[in-house]
Amino acid sequence: MKGPLMSNFSWQKSSYSSAEGGNTCLELAPGADDLRYLRESDDPDVIITTTTAKLRAFILGAKAGEFDHLL
């Protein structure tokens, strides 16, 4: 997804992202209806689209350590 649509998003970085770290942040943006967009700041042209419910489930799973075995 490129072009004017992407520039209309209001991207938000995590408060855990450091200013010294450069472009190593995950950014989120709200979309129309129930859509949410995710991108990495070091590759902003690659955008993942999901729903609020799916994003919430992923974040809760990450907080609970469900993906720790992948690190």
Side-chain angles (χ1 to χ4, degrees), residues 12-27 41-42:
Q12 179 180 345
K13 286 185 183 182
S14 168
S15 60
Y16 289 96
S17 297
S18 70
E20 302 91 37
N23 290 334
T24 57
C25 307
L26 182 67
E27 300 175 323
S41 56
D42 63 341

Side-chain angles (χ1 to χ4, degrees), residues 7-51:
S7 65
N8 291 335
F9 292 155
S10 178
W11 294 102
Q12 179 180 345
K13 286 185 183 182
S14 168
S15 60
Y16 289 96
S17 297
S18 70
E20 302 91 37
N23 290 334
T24 57
C25 307
L26 182 67
E27 300 175 323
L28 298 171
D33 300 322
D34 192 38
L35 296 179
R36 299 296 176 259
Y37 302 101
L38 292 87
R39 70 179 184 181
E40 289 189 49
S41 56
D42 63 341
D43 196 1
D45 289 337
V46 177
I47 298 174
I48 297 171
T49 304
T50 190
T51 64

Side-chain angles (χ1 to χ4, degrees), residues 50-63:
T50 190
T51 64
T52 302
K54 290 177 182 179
L55 180 59
R56 180 179 292 119
F58 175 77
I59 291 171
L60 290 174
K63 285 182 176 182

